[in-house]
Structure formats: C-alpha cells, structure tokens
Amino acid sequence: MQWRNFWYNILPPLRNQYKEMEVDPYHDCCRDSGDDYYCALYREKRPLDFCAGYIPPQIGFFFGDPHVVTLDGVQYTFNGLGEFILLNVRDENDALMFSLQGRTIRAGENKTSQATIFVTLAAQGPTGTKVQWNLIEDDELSLMINGRTVNVTENSDFINKVAVHKTSKNETVATFQDGISITVSAKMGALSFTTSLDNSLKNKTEGLLGVWNDDKTDDFKAANGTYLEFDGTNVPNERIIFLNFGLTWKTTVNNSVFTYNMAIGEGWYTFNNNSFIPKFYDELLQTSDKDKIDKANETCQGNDNCIFDVLSTDDLSFGTATLQSMNSFAAQNSTMKNFPPNITGTSRVQTRLNEPVYTLFAATDANNDVVTFSVLTDSPDIRITENGNFSWHPTTSTPVFAVIIANDSKGVSELGLTLTLCNCSINSSCDYSRSIFSMSKNNSIFKIPSCSCTPAYTGDYCSEDFDACQDNQCFLNDTCKDQPAPLEGYTCAPCPDNLKGDGLKCFDLDECLENISSCEQICTNVIASYNCSCYEGYTVNPMNHSLCIA
C-alpha cells in the first residue's frame, strides 16, 4: 500500500511542480524565447552547477577471504566465523539509526578451511525496514525486504522507503534514507560489497568498518570502547586484530538484524555458537609448501590479500577473484573521489557564414589530472584540439550543435554551446541581441540573429529591395516611384498647377499674397486659383474679369 500511495498520490503533484517550476521556465526563457536577455534572467535564479563545494561520499569495502578497507582507508584481514556488526551509525544522541551486519561461513570447496567468507548481509535503516542479501549460487544472490524475497531489476524500485536496483555488473544496490548505500555482488561463492556514506554521517560510525573521522589511528575501536594501538601506518598483528577488535563486534541475540528461517529451526545460535580460530597469514606462509606459495605469488602478482586467499582456500581462482575485486574497488574509489574538470571559456560563439571563428577553452581539475578536450557535434565545420583550441568555419546555414567535453579519464564535464550564425547580406549588419530562429539539441542551441538593413534593403537577410513607397503616399496617388537598391528613397510626380511643394506634400499657391494675380483691384485667394472683384462704384468688366469699369 505504501508504494501505491507514493506512486498515485505523492509523485504526481511532485512531477507537476517540477514541470511548472523548472522545466516550463527553462523552455520559456531559454529554449523558446530566442532572447539571451530572458535566458540570463533565468540563470540568475537557476545558475549552472559546476560541482563547487561538492564532497564525494565515503566508501568502505569487504572482499574475498574477508579483507576490509575501512571508511578511513585502513586495510586489514578478519576471518571471524559467525555474524558481526560491520557498521553502526548513531545520531547526535548516540541512538542507533542504521546497522549493517554480515554472516560468514568457512571457506574452501568443502567449507572446512581455516578461513571464512561472507555469504549473507543484513541491514536495518532508520525506518525499521530490514534488507538482507543471501548468497544462493557461486555468482548469484537474492534480496529480501522484511523477510520477503523481491525481484530486483535495473529499474529502481522504492520499497518501504528503500530504493533497490541491479547494476549492469549484476550488483544489487540498496539505498537507505540519510545517504547510506550498500552495493553487493557475488563471485566465486562469496559476497563482496561496498558501503557508501554521505558526508553528513562522518564521526557517527563504529564497527568493523571503523570510526570515520579522517583519522586512521582510531579505526580499531572495539565494541567496549577500547582502541588497539595503531600509528596509522603499521597495522596491528592479525591475531591481535582478530581477538581484541574483530570478535568484540560479534552480534548478540538482542541486536541481530538478520531474518532467520524459523521453519527449519534457524536462529542466532545456529551461526554463532563456535570458538573458531582461523589460520593467520604468517602461519599460512610457514606451513604451505614453496611451490604453492610461488604459484600464488605468480597468480596474485605479489598481492598479499590474494596470496592469503589462495593459501587459505587452496584455490587459485578464488585468489584471482580477490585481486579483481581489489582492482575494482580501487577504480571505484578513485572515481568516487574524483572531481570532474571545470570548463572555462565562453559558451556563446558567433560568426558570419563562411567566416571562421576561433576560441580557447581551458579546464581546471581539483585532482590535478590531465584533461583532454573533445567535441560532440554533427558538423564537420566544428573542431577542437585536445588542448582546447576550438574552431567553427560555417559553410552552410544548416543548424549545427556542439557540446564541449573535458575528460580527466575518470569523469567528464560538458558545456553546451550556443552557436549564433549570421547569414545577413553585405547590405546589413548582424543584430546578435535579437534572433529570428532558435533551435536546441543535446543542451546546445543554434540561433540565427536578426539583420539591421541599410535603408535600401529589407527581408530577413536584407537581400530584398525595400519599397520606399509602401509607407509613403505622394500628393497625387499612384505617382510614387521607388528608387531601386542600392539607391535609397523614392520620387513623386510634381505638384499640380497652382500648387507648390515637393510632390509628397503640396500646398496651395496664394497668388494674391504673392502678388502674381492679374486682378486690377481686389484679389481673393481660393484653392488652386483666385477670384477678382472691384471696389464700390466699380463693376467687373464682362469682357475681362480681371479688370474693373466705372
């Protein structure tokens, strides 16, 4: 019922909120607006994330014939038999908020060797949900949640506030609240696993994975609060670790988080009623024949953990699996602690058609790794060298896209470019502040800016003759004549007789005021003409209206 409530009641409004508050504003302001000003306003509220202040999660690791790498990076071997507390996480009030426990059995083909391997893990998070990994075949495991077996796929499932999924490497991952993730794999009949903890849990851990506080010297803290002497470099004797540290973290009936098969009589005592003492590495070296040691050394390339596992199990392939697990952990740890490069350089590149443009990108890397550049693009006109010299020589106006990639061999950073291609004619200048076309793909944007035309031209690319008559009306309709480009302007027919002006605007000529009329006595102006009249006592000459007679 919980997942139904989450899926149908909680998730839909969250999706809508994300769309309304994040997706739609980006589309409106950046992708679809065609205006850099609005996108800049958006970036003020949603700046790009360049990993500044990021702290990677911390990793602890168990592998092989139990070899441990603590959260502070201390490596040791513990061959306890039974069920042990691998990790406890406590809150500020010292209350237990998370526990990870592991069950071991004796290793070897007949499970009779003097070494052990992990076959079951159990974890309980802050919500009380119990997750258990069980080895069922040499390279296969099953997952139980609150006592029920669940099918885990590569699609993440959220079950009782725990997210579970399977990786492409067939690892089964469970992620708990408060930033705790457990990744488990089965290989050669044993479980290997990593724990990943958020930085907020520092100074809150105990167990076989040690005290995580960036101080190696206190990692061997026993369950009773005492510490093994350790200078941070020379690990204590294996026997001392076993007796005075490892065994103190054996579970009890009251604190076990394992799910037992009561139907067949399983319980805590089934796995913990023993007084097992393993063979330690120095004993194995003393009691194994030279040929076996030489073969182990050759197979293991001198790695002590691998050699230990070969000698304790009499199985070269088990040692090889240990070596592979160690290399995998080293690579994973290196990747987790790696900060991807930060790319510096402009993300906006603009030029005109057939005019090359060049710019230089640089990258800073917090780990001082060597960074190489490449570009993800669909255009042969775009190139970048490994050291960041970028060039774009557009030969067509077809939309193109480019994403700059900086790779430090462990991680990559990407920078999507905004490519603005001016296709204006020579009769204009490019107005890069406005766009007539915008298209996005893979976080890259292609734009065509508007053109500012000279007065004689018009059109998107200023290649058409501007008809100056369209917005201008001569005094005499239909007499406007446009000047063909590159000439500017227009001409109008002359004003009609008795009107003066430039043909665009014509004014009445006041013949009376200008004293150019033929009237003998009185001149009265009218539009486009004038009338003559006479003083009192005179009349207009009927033979000549301009003259007067007594």
Side-chain angles (χ1 to χ4, degrees), residues 20-46:
E20 293 173 1
M21 301 298 291
E22 304 296 334
V23 178
D24 289 347
Y26 171 76
H27 287 173
D28 293 341
C29 297
C30 293
R31 190 190 71 174
D32 301 330
S33 71
D35 194 318
D36 292 344
Y37 171 74
Y38 292 115
C39 194
L41 291 179
Y42 171 82
R43 287 301 178 199
E44 289 182 6
K45 301 298 182 181
R46 296 292 187 271

PDB file of all heavy atoms in Angstrom, residues 20-46:
ATOM      1  N   GLU A  20       6.256  22.773 -13.633  1.00  0.00           N
ATOM      2  CA  GLU A  20       5.860  24.174 -13.588  1.00  0.00           C
ATOM      3  C   GLU A  20       6.982  25.080 -13.099  1.00  0.00           C
ATOM      4  O   GLU A  20       7.143  26.208 -13.588  1.00  0.00           O
ATOM      5  CB  GLU A  20       4.640  24.336 -12.674  1.00  0.00           C
ATOM      6  CG  GLU A  20       3.379  23.672 -13.216  1.00  0.00           C
ATOM      7  CD  GLU A  20       2.241  23.692 -12.213  1.00  0.00           C
ATOM      8  OE1 GLU A  20       2.441  24.241 -11.098  1.00  0.00           O
ATOM      9  OE2 GLU A  20       1.156  23.167 -12.527  1.00  0.00           O
ATOM     10  N   MET A  21       7.794  24.593 -12.146  1.00  0.00           N
ATOM     11  CA  MET A  21       8.818  25.436 -11.526  1.00  0.00           C
ATOM     12  C   MET A  21      10.182  25.326 -12.191  1.00  0.00           C
ATOM     13  O   MET A  21      11.022  26.230 -12.036  1.00  0.00           O
ATOM     14  CB  MET A  21       8.950  25.078 -10.040  1.00  0.00           C
ATOM     15  CG  MET A  21       7.669  25.235  -9.243  1.00  0.00           C
ATOM     16  SD  MET A  21       7.064  26.946  -9.226  1.00  0.00           S
ATOM     17  CE  MET A  21       8.344  27.713  -8.232  1.00  0.00           C
ATOM     18  N   GLU A  22      10.436  24.247 -12.939  1.00  0.00           N
ATOM     19  CA  GLU A  22      11.770  24.035 -13.502  1.00  0.00           C
ATOM     20  C   GLU A  22      11.753  23.917 -15.024  1.00  0.00           C
ATOM     21  O   GLU A  22      12.434  24.660 -15.726  1.00  0.00           O
ATOM     22  CB  GLU A  22      12.401  22.766 -12.888  1.00  0.00           C
ATOM     23  CG  GLU A  22      12.483  22.772 -11.368  1.00  0.00           C
ATOM     24  CD  GLU A  22      13.397  23.860 -10.828  1.00  0.00           C
ATOM     25  OE1 GLU A  22      14.315  24.283 -11.554  1.00  0.00           O
ATOM     26  OE2 GLU A  22      13.185  24.292  -9.685  1.00  0.00           O
ATOM     27  N   VAL A  23      10.979  22.956 -15.540  1.00  0.00           N
ATOM     28  CA  VAL A  23      11.015  22.668 -16.972  1.00  0.00           C
ATOM     29  C   VAL A  23      10.412  23.805 -17.788  1.00  0.00           C
ATOM     30  O   VAL A  23      11.034  24.325 -18.725  1.00  0.00           O
ATOM     31  CB  VAL A  23      10.300  21.340 -17.281  1.00  0.00           C
ATOM     32  CG1 VAL A  23      10.294  21.082 -18.786  1.00  0.00           C
ATOM     33  CG2 VAL A  23      10.976  20.189 -16.540  1.00  0.00           C
ATOM     34  N   ASP A  24       9.183  24.222 -17.446  1.00  0.00           N
ATOM     35  CA  ASP A  24       8.498  25.262 -18.227  1.00  0.00           C
ATOM     36  C   ASP A  24       9.264  26.586 -18.225  1.00  0.00           C
ATOM     37  O   ASP A  24       9.402  27.218 -19.287  1.00  0.00           O
ATOM     38  CB  ASP A  24       7.072  25.458 -17.711  1.00  0.00           C
ATOM     39  CG  ASP A  24       6.171  24.280 -18.049  1.00  0.00           C
ATOM     40  OD1 ASP A  24       6.577  23.451 -18.888  1.00  0.00           O
ATOM     41  OD2 ASP A  24       5.073  24.174 -17.466  1.00  0.00           O
ATOM     42  N   PRO A  25       9.767  27.069 -17.073  1.00  0.00           N
ATOM     43  CA  PRO A  25      10.540  28.324 -17.111  1.00  0.00           C
ATOM     44  C   PRO A  25      11.768  28.242 -17.996  1.00  0.00           C
ATOM     45  O   PRO A  25      12.092  29.205 -18.702  1.00  0.00           O
ATOM     46  CB  PRO A  25      10.917  28.545 -15.640  1.00  0.00           C
ATOM     47  CG  PRO A  25       9.870  27.838 -14.869  1.00  0.00           C
ATOM     48  CD  PRO A  25       9.519  26.634 -15.688  1.00  0.00           C
ATOM     49  N   TYR A  26      12.465  27.094 -17.982  1.00  0.00           N
ATOM     50  CA  TYR A  26      13.641  26.961 -18.852  1.00  0.00           C
ATOM     51  C   TYR A  26      13.238  27.032 -20.318  1.00  0.00           C
ATOM     52  O   TYR A  26      13.870  27.724 -21.114  1.00  0.00           O
ATOM     53  CB  TYR A  26      14.364  25.652 -18.565  1.00  0.00           C
ATOM     54  CG  TYR A  26      15.454  25.358 -19.580  1.00  0.00           C
ATOM     55  CD1 TYR A  26      16.667  26.043 -19.533  1.00  0.00           C
ATOM     56  CD2 TYR A  26      15.251  24.436 -20.603  1.00  0.00           C
ATOM     57  CE1 TYR A  26      17.656  25.812 -20.475  1.00  0.00           C
ATOM     58  CE2 TYR A  26      16.231  24.195 -21.554  1.00  0.00           C
ATOM     59  CZ  TYR A  26      17.430  24.887 -21.477  1.00  0.00           C
ATOM     60  OH  TYR A  26      18.402  24.653 -22.429  1.00  0.00           O
ATOM     61  N   HIS A  27      12.180  26.318 -20.675  1.00  0.00           N
ATOM     62  CA  HIS A  27      11.728  26.331 -22.063  1.00  0.00           C
ATOM     63  C   HIS A  27      11.306  27.746 -22.482  1.00  0.00           C
ATOM     64  O   HIS A  27      11.664  28.218 -23.565  1.00  0.00           O
ATOM     65  CB  HIS A  27      10.554  25.371 -22.245  1.00  0.00           C
ATOM     66  CG  HIS A  27      10.972  23.930 -22.203  1.00  0.00           C
ATOM     67  ND1 HIS A  27      10.069  22.888 -22.203  1.00  0.00           N
ATOM     68  CD2 HIS A  27      12.201  23.352 -22.148  1.00  0.00           C
ATOM     69  CE1 HIS A  27      10.722  21.731 -22.167  1.00  0.00           C
ATOM     70  NE2 HIS A  27      12.009  21.996 -22.126  1.00  0.00           N
ATOM     71  N   ASP A  28      10.541  28.435 -21.619  1.00  0.00           N
ATOM     72  CA  ASP A  28      10.031  29.759 -21.968  1.00  0.00           C
ATOM     73  C   ASP A  28      11.150  30.798 -22.063  1.00  0.00           C
ATOM     74  O   ASP A  28      11.145  31.636 -22.975  1.00  0.00           O
ATOM     75  CB  ASP A  28       8.996  30.215 -20.938  1.00  0.00           C
ATOM     76  CG  ASP A  28       7.731  29.366 -20.968  1.00  0.00           C
ATOM     77  OD1 ASP A  28       7.504  28.687 -21.987  1.00  0.00           O
ATOM     78  OD2 ASP A  28       6.987  29.360 -19.965  1.00  0.00           O
ATOM     79  N   CYS A  29      12.090  30.743 -21.136  1.00  0.00           N
ATOM     80  CA  CYS A  29      13.112  31.793 -21.055  1.00  0.00           C
ATOM     81  C   CYS A  29      14.324  31.514 -21.939  1.00  0.00           C
ATOM     82  O   CYS A  29      14.948  32.463 -22.432  1.00  0.00           O
ATOM     83  CB  CYS A  29      13.578  31.971 -19.609  1.00  0.00           C
ATOM     84  SG  CYS A  29      12.283  32.531 -18.477  1.00  0.00           S
ATOM     85  N   CYS A  30      14.684  30.257 -22.110  1.00  0.00           N
ATOM     86  CA  CYS A  30      15.925  29.935 -22.817  1.00  0.00           C
ATOM     87  C   CYS A  30      15.691  29.223 -24.144  1.00  0.00           C
ATOM     88  O   CYS A  30      16.116  29.690 -25.196  1.00  0.00           O
ATOM     89  CB  CYS A  30      16.836  29.079 -21.926  1.00  0.00           C
ATOM     90  SG  CYS A  30      17.480  29.963 -20.486  1.00  0.00           S
ATOM     91  N   ARG A  31      15.014  28.090 -24.094  1.00  0.00           N
ATOM     92  CA  ARG A  31      14.905  27.270 -25.294  1.00  0.00           C
ATOM     93  C   ARG A  31      14.058  27.928 -26.372  1.00  0.00           C
ATOM     94  O   ARG A  31      14.410  27.910 -27.564  1.00  0.00           O
ATOM     95  CB  ARG A  31      14.312  25.900 -24.945  1.00  0.00           C
ATOM     96  CG  ARG A  31      14.396  24.897 -26.102  1.00  0.00           C
ATOM     97  CD  ARG A  31      13.595  23.639 -25.828  1.00  0.00           C
ATOM     98  NE  ARG A  31      12.158  23.897 -25.875  1.00  0.00           N
ATOM     99  CZ  ARG A  31      11.234  22.945 -25.788  1.00  0.00           C
ATOM    100  NH1 ARG A  31      11.603  21.694 -25.608  1.00  0.00           N
ATOM    101  NH2 ARG A  31       9.944  23.243 -25.833  1.00  0.00           N
ATOM    102  N   ASP A  32      12.929  28.547 -25.970  1.00  0.00           N
ATOM    103  CA  ASP A  32      11.960  29.012 -26.955  1.00  0.00           C
ATOM    104  C   ASP A  32      11.916  30.527 -27.117  1.00  0.00           C
ATOM    105  O   ASP A  32      11.295  31.017 -28.060  1.00  0.00           O
ATOM    106  CB  ASP A  32      10.552  28.508 -26.578  1.00  0.00           C
ATOM    107  CG  ASP A  32      10.480  26.993 -26.499  1.00  0.00           C
ATOM    108  OD1 ASP A  32      11.242  26.341 -27.237  1.00  0.00           O
ATOM    109  OD2 ASP A  32       9.676  26.477 -25.704  1.00  0.00           O
ATOM    110  N   SER A  33      12.530  31.275 -26.218  1.00  0.00           N
ATOM    111  CA  SER A  33      12.375  32.733 -26.279  1.00  0.00           C
ATOM    112  C   SER A  33      13.171  33.355 -27.413  1.00  0.00           C
ATOM    113  O   SER A  33      12.766  34.371 -27.981  1.00  0.00           O
ATOM    114  CB  SER A  33      12.821  33.360 -24.956  1.00  0.00           C
ATOM    115  OG  SER A  33      14.230  33.284 -24.810  1.00  0.00           O
ATOM    116  N   GLY A  34      14.324  32.754 -27.740  1.00  0.00           N
ATOM    117  CA  GLY A  34      15.183  33.348 -28.759  1.00  0.00           C
ATOM    118  C   GLY A  34      15.824  34.642 -28.305  1.00  0.00           C
ATOM    119  O   GLY A  34      16.351  35.406 -29.116  1.00  0.00           O
ATOM    120  N   ASP A  35      15.817  34.897 -26.975  1.00  0.00           N
ATOM    121  CA  ASP A  35      16.352  36.150 -26.457  1.00  0.00           C
ATOM    122  C   ASP A  35      17.303  35.849 -25.303  1.00  0.00           C
ATOM    123  O   ASP A  35      16.892  35.298 -24.278  1.00  0.00           O
ATOM    124  CB  ASP A  35      15.210  37.046 -25.980  1.00  0.00           C
ATOM    125  CG  ASP A  35      15.657  38.479 -25.751  1.00  0.00           C
ATOM    126  OD1 ASP A  35      16.743  38.671 -25.188  1.00  0.00           O
ATOM    127  OD2 ASP A  35      14.908  39.397 -26.149  1.00  0.00           O
ATOM    128  N   ASP A  36      18.570  36.218 -25.474  1.00  0.00           N
ATOM    129  CA  ASP A  36      19.569  35.949 -24.443  1.00  0.00           C
ATOM    130  C   ASP A  36      19.255  36.670 -23.138  1.00  0.00           C
ATOM    131  O   ASP A  36      19.628  36.207 -22.063  1.00  0.00           O
ATOM    132  CB  ASP A  36      20.956  36.368 -24.928  1.00  0.00           C
ATOM    133  CG  ASP A  36      21.446  35.489 -26.068  1.00  0.00           C
ATOM    134  OD1 ASP A  36      20.873  34.407 -26.258  1.00  0.00           O
ATOM    135  OD2 ASP A  36      22.391  35.898 -26.767  1.00  0.00           O
ATOM    136  N   TYR A  37      18.575  37.800 -23.221  1.00  0.00           N
ATOM    137  CA  TYR A  37      18.278  38.567 -22.014  1.00  0.00           C
ATOM    138  C   TYR A  37      17.405  37.759 -21.061  1.00  0.00           C
ATOM    139  O   TYR A  37      17.673  37.678 -19.858  1.00  0.00           O
ATOM    140  CB  TYR A  37      17.584  39.877 -22.390  1.00  0.00           C
ATOM    141  CG  TYR A  37      17.047  40.641 -21.197  1.00  0.00           C
ATOM    142  CD1 TYR A  37      17.921  41.327 -20.338  1.00  0.00           C
ATOM    143  CD2 TYR A  37      15.685  40.674 -20.926  1.00  0.00           C
ATOM    144  CE1 TYR A  37      17.431  42.020 -19.238  1.00  0.00           C
ATOM    145  CE2 TYR A  37      15.190  41.364 -19.825  1.00  0.00           C
ATOM    146  CZ  TYR A  37      16.064  42.040 -18.982  1.00  0.00           C
ATOM    147  OH  TYR A  37      15.584  42.718 -17.895  1.00  0.00           O
ATOM    148  N   TYR A  38      16.362  37.128 -21.604  1.00  0.00           N
ATOM    149  CA  TYR A  38      15.455  36.346 -20.750  1.00  0.00           C
ATOM    150  C   TYR A  38      16.157  35.102 -20.200  1.00  0.00           C
ATOM    151  O   TYR A  38      15.915  34.693 -19.062  1.00  0.00           O
ATOM    152  CB  TYR A  38      14.198  35.961 -21.529  1.00  0.00           C
ATOM    153  CG  TYR A  38      13.330  37.148 -21.866  1.00  0.00           C
ATOM    154  CD1 TYR A  38      13.137  37.532 -23.184  1.00  0.00           C
ATOM    155  CD2 TYR A  38      12.726  37.893 -20.869  1.00  0.00           C
ATOM    156  CE1 TYR A  38      12.359  38.632 -23.498  1.00  0.00           C
ATOM    157  CE2 TYR A  38      11.940  38.989 -21.174  1.00  0.00           C
ATOM    158  CZ  TYR A  38      11.757  39.362 -22.489  1.00  0.00           C
ATOM    159  OH  TYR A  38      10.993  40.448 -22.787  1.00  0.00           O
ATOM    160  N   CYS A  39      17.024  34.492 -21.007  1.00  0.00           N
ATOM    161  CA  CYS A  39      17.748  33.320 -20.514  1.00  0.00           C
ATOM    162  C   CYS A  39      18.709  33.722 -19.398  1.00  0.00           C
ATOM    163  O   CYS A  39      18.916  32.978 -18.435  1.00  0.00           O
ATOM    164  CB  CYS A  39      18.508  32.657 -21.665  1.00  0.00           C
ATOM    165  SG  CYS A  39      19.095  30.996 -21.263  1.00  0.00           S
ATOM    166  N   ALA A  40      19.313  34.914 -19.515  1.00  0.00           N
ATOM    167  CA  ALA A  40      20.198  35.396 -18.459  1.00  0.00           C
ATOM    168  C   ALA A  40      19.430  35.621 -17.161  1.00  0.00           C
ATOM    169  O   ALA A  40      19.932  35.337 -16.066  1.00  0.00           O
ATOM    170  CB  ALA A  40      20.886  36.687 -18.900  1.00  0.00           C
ATOM    171  N   LEU A  41      18.202  36.123 -17.266  1.00  0.00           N
ATOM    172  CA  LEU A  41      17.359  36.278 -16.072  1.00  0.00           C
ATOM    173  C   LEU A  41      17.071  34.927 -15.431  1.00  0.00           C
ATOM    174  O   LEU A  41      17.073  34.782 -14.201  1.00  0.00           O
ATOM    175  CB  LEU A  41      16.047  36.976 -16.436  1.00  0.00           C
ATOM    176  CG  LEU A  41      16.133  38.452 -16.839  1.00  0.00           C
ATOM    177  CD1 LEU A  41      14.742  38.972 -17.201  1.00  0.00           C
ATOM    178  CD2 LEU A  41      16.727  39.283 -15.706  1.00  0.00           C
ATOM    179  N   TYR A  42      16.807  33.931 -16.282  1.00  0.00           N
ATOM    180  CA  TYR A  42      16.548  32.578 -15.771  1.00  0.00           C
ATOM    181  C   TYR A  42      17.772  32.050 -15.023  1.00  0.00           C
ATOM    182  O   TYR A  42      17.654  31.451 -13.947  1.00  0.00           O
ATOM    183  CB  TYR A  42      16.181  31.653 -16.930  1.00  0.00           C
ATOM    184  CG  TYR A  42      16.099  30.188 -16.549  1.00  0.00           C
ATOM    185  CD1 TYR A  42      14.957  29.667 -15.950  1.00  0.00           C
ATOM    186  CD2 TYR A  42      17.181  29.331 -16.767  1.00  0.00           C
ATOM    187  CE1 TYR A  42      14.889  28.337 -15.578  1.00  0.00           C
ATOM    188  CE2 TYR A  42      17.113  28.008 -16.400  1.00  0.00           C
ATOM    189  CZ  TYR A  42      15.970  27.505 -15.812  1.00  0.00           C
ATOM    190  OH  TYR A  42      15.916  26.195 -15.443  1.00  0.00           O
ATOM    191  N   ARG A  43      18.973  32.261 -15.598  1.00  0.00           N
ATOM    192  CA  ARG A  43      20.196  31.750 -14.978  1.00  0.00           C
ATOM    193  C   ARG A  43      20.508  32.441 -13.658  1.00  0.00           C
ATOM    194  O   ARG A  43      21.232  31.895 -12.823  1.00  0.00           O
ATOM    195  CB  ARG A  43      21.378  31.896 -15.943  1.00  0.00           C
ATOM    196  CG  ARG A  43      21.340  30.895 -17.098  1.00  0.00           C
ATOM    197  CD  ARG A  43      21.352  29.475 -16.598  1.00  0.00           C
ATOM    198  NE  ARG A  43      21.265  28.498 -17.680  1.00  0.00           N
ATOM    199  CZ  ARG A  43      20.908  27.252 -17.526  1.00  0.00           C
ATOM    200  NH1 ARG A  43      20.575  26.805 -16.321  1.00  0.00           N
ATOM    201  NH2 ARG A  43      20.859  26.434 -18.549  1.00  0.00           N
ATOM    202  N   GLU A  44      19.968  33.642 -13.455  1.00  0.00           N
ATOM    203  CA  GLU A  44      20.142  34.279 -12.151  1.00  0.00           C
ATOM    204  C   GLU A  44      19.447  33.485 -11.059  1.00  0.00           C
ATOM    205  O   GLU A  44      19.910  33.417  -9.922  1.00  0.00           O
ATOM    206  CB  GLU A  44      19.582  35.704 -12.195  1.00  0.00           C
ATOM    207  CG  GLU A  44      20.410  36.676 -13.022  1.00  0.00           C
ATOM    208  CD  GLU A  44      19.826  38.076 -12.996  1.00  0.00           C
ATOM    209  OE1 GLU A  44      18.843  38.293 -12.236  1.00  0.00           O
ATOM    210  OE2 GLU A  44      20.329  38.945 -13.723  1.00  0.00           O
ATOM    211  N   LYS A  45      18.315  32.883 -11.409  1.00  0.00           N
ATOM    212  CA  LYS A  45      17.556  32.082 -10.441  1.00  0.00           C
ATOM    213  C   LYS A  45      17.982  30.616 -10.449  1.00  0.00           C
ATOM    214  O   LYS A  45      17.867  29.937  -9.426  1.00  0.00           O
ATOM    215  CB  LYS A  45      16.060  32.170 -10.756  1.00  0.00           C
ATOM    216  CG  LYS A  45      15.509  33.577 -10.726  1.00  0.00           C
ATOM    217  CD  LYS A  45      15.635  34.206  -9.344  1.00  0.00           C
ATOM    218  CE  LYS A  45      15.026  35.599  -9.307  1.00  0.00           C
ATOM    219  NZ  LYS A  45      15.175  36.231  -7.971  1.00  0.00           N
ATOM    220  N   ARG A  46      18.459  30.134 -11.580  1.00  0.00           N
ATOM    221  CA  ARG A  46      18.880  28.737 -11.712  1.00  0.00           C
ATOM    222  C   ARG A  46      20.282  28.694 -12.322  1.00  0.00           C
ATOM    223  O   ARG A  46      20.458  28.363 -13.487  1.00  0.00           O
ATOM    224  CB  ARG A  46      17.899  27.942 -12.585  1.00  0.00           C
ATOM    225  CG  ARG A  46      16.495  27.812 -12.010  1.00  0.00           C
ATOM    226  CD  ARG A  46      16.486  26.940 -10.765  1.00  0.00           C
ATOM    227  NE  ARG A  46      15.131  26.688 -10.318  1.00  0.00           N
ATOM    228  CZ  ARG A  46      14.476  27.470  -9.469  1.00  0.00           C
ATOM    229  NH1 ARG A  46      15.060  28.553  -8.986  1.00  0.00           N
ATOM    230  NH2 ARG A  46      13.236  27.171  -9.098  1.00  0.00           N
TER     231      ARG A  46
END
